[in-house]
């Protein structure tokens, strides 16, 4: 054929794009996301060179009895542009009350186009759909009969992956609040363990406040002789510890805000969110001990005073440096602290 130039190139590109979009639309339904041979030859006739061209360039590749897109991410994006999101979620997640559980028509490995279609929604529409997924998890948790495992999987995976992929999770704080409430009520991470909350694109104060809310949902520590479960390293307390280890100066003041939270922790008699914060700050104290003394005196809370008293025994040089700073501070409360903790540190 003669070379194509100028406007002809644009027209040809539009024809290629149109046929690829139609191929993607036809791949959507049940099954393996393939284009059968009859549909392939209708869209890309051999006699005109279309078939050999798309196969040579790898836009489509033979698979089984049909053809599939050669580039998975491009395929997901193309199919997502044609997906009816409400219908897809009704089919995969939102089972009407009283309906018997049935096998879903879409296998789990076809999640890509559904997830991409969610992410193509406007922010307000996406937030509404994500809130609906949390509500579905509440519904299935209330049933507590093990039915509809597939629907629960779809709701969990779509919610998790969508929240992880949005460029900023802060606009979805209402959804995250609902999810945190669901997890504390059900008492388990359910695919939303500590690593999930650490990966979200959130301001640090928001993330630490969510981890505080979630802490009572942590599983109890294993008893002597028990095997440590595989998810033990994905606890919310461990997630907070990783944040503290990475940025002690930034996280220490945020953890002192936990001192007012006296909710109990599961399987730990006498332990609360507040005592867990104390323990974290004490364990990681040497990473930024001077900053820790400042965060504690700023907190002006009895639990902060307890930890400062402990530091006077275990880290006397740090408390002495703090007392010297506070004694020269113009703020009256700092001078009061200097007098109080100067007595505690004096014997050292």
């Amino acid at each position: 054929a003669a070379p194509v130039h100028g406007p002809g190139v644009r027209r040809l590109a539009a024809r290629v794009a149109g046929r690829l979009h139609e191929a993607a639309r036809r791949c959507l339904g049940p099954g393996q996301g393939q284009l059968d041979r009859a549909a392939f030859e209708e869209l890309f006739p051999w006699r005109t060179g279309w078939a050999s061209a798309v196969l040579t360039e790898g836009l489509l590749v033979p698979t089984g009895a049909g053809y599939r897109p050669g580039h998975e991410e491009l395929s997901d994006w193309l199919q997502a542009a044609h997906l009816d999101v409400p219908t897809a979620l009704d089919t995969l997640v939102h089972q009407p009350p009283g309906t018997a559980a049935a096998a879903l028509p879409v296998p789990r490995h076809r999640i890509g186009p559904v997830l991409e279609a969610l992410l193509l929604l406007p922010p307000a529409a996406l937030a509404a759909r994500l809130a609906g997924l949390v509500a579905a998890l509440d519904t299935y948790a209330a049933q507590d009969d093990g039915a509809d495992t597939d629907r629960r999987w779809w709701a969990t995976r779509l919610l998790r992956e969508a929240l992880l992929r949005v460029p900023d999770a802060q606009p979805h704080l209402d959804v995250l609040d609902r999810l945190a409430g669901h997890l504390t009520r059900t008492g388990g991470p359910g695919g939303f363990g500590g690593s999930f909350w650490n990966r979200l694109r959130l301001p640090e104060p928001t993330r630490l406040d969510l981890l505080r809310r979630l802490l009572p949902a942590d599983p109890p520590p294993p008893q002597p002789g028990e095997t440590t479960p595989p998810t033990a390293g994905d606890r919310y307390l461990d997630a907070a510890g990783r944040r503290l280890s990475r940025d002690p100066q930034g996280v220490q003041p945020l953890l002192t805000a936990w001192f007012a939270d006296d909710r109990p922790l599961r399987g730990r008699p006498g332990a609360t969110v507040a005592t867990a914060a104390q323990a974290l700050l004490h364990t990681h104290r040497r990473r930024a001990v001077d900053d820790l003394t400042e965060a504690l005196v700023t907190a002006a809370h009895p639990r902060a005073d307890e930890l400062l008293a402990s530091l006077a025994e275990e880290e006397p040089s740090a408390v002495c440096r703090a007392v010297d700073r506070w004694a020269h501070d113009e703020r009256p409360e700092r001078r009061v602290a200097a007098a109080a903790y100067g007595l505690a540190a004096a014997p050292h």
Side-chain angles (χ1 to χ4, degrees), residues 24 29-30 68 70 113-114 132 170 245 258 273 296 307 325 347:
R68 63 172 176 82
V114 185
Q170 183 72 12
S245 179
W258 295 20
V273 174
L296 292 173
L307 189 49
R325 290 193 305 272

Side-chain angles (χ1 to χ4, degrees), residues 20 27 43 96 106-107 112 134 206-207 243 271 277 282 314 331:
L20 286 175
C27 287
L43 292 172
V106 181
V134 178
T206 302
R207 186 194 319 279
R243 308 309 295 187
H282 182 268
E314 300 176 0
R331 290 169 289 182

Side-chain angles (χ1 to χ4, degrees), residues 23-34 68-69 71-86 88-89 92 106-121 126 153-154 157-158 161-162 165:
R25 188 187 66 78
R26 297 193 187 189
C27 287
L28 274 174
Q32 305 300 311
Q34 296 177 358
R68 63 172 176 82
H71 192 288
E72 185 175 356
E73 291 184 4
L74 176 60
S75 167
D76 289 347
W77 183 84
L78 286 171
Q79 293 181 49
H82 299 279
L83 189 67
D84 182 343
V85 174
L89 294 183
L92 298 170
V106 181
R108 292 180 178 183
H109 71 268
R110 297 288 295 136
I111 190 174
V114 185
L115 176 60
E116 191 66 37
L118 269 177
L119 295 173
L120 289 175
L121 293 174
L126 174 59
W153 183 93
W154 277 94
R157 190 57 60 89
L158 288 172
E161 295 304 319
R165 295 192 191 191

Side-chain angles (χ1 to χ4, degrees), residues 153-192:
W153 183 93
W154 277 94
T156 298
R157 190 57 60 89
L158 288 172
L159 181 61
R160 172 187 168 84
E161 295 304 319
L163 287 169
L164 288 175
R165 295 192 191 191
V166 291
D168 179 10
Q170 183 72 12
H172 300 291
L173 185 55
D174 180 64
V175 173
L176 294 171
D177 283 338
R178 296 186 187 194
L179 178 58
H182 164 79
L183 295 172
T184 53
R185 288 191 299 273
T186 57
F192 300 96

Side-chain angles (χ1 to χ4, degrees), residues 220-221 223 265-269:
Q223 299 300 314
L265 303 186
R266 282 199 295 162
R268 304 179 189 187

Side-chain angles (χ1 to χ4, degrees), residues 15-16 18-27 35-51 54 60:
R15 292 176 65 196
V16 173
R19 297 193 186 202
L20 286 175
H21 272 276
E22 177 61 17
R25 188 187 66 78
R26 297 193 187 189
C27 287
L35 194 68
D36 62 39
R37 291 188 179 276
F40 173 82
E41 293 178 5
E42 177 187 345
L43 292 172
F44 308 105
W46 287 96
R47 65 182 185 280
T48 59
W50 277 95
V54 296
L60 293 169

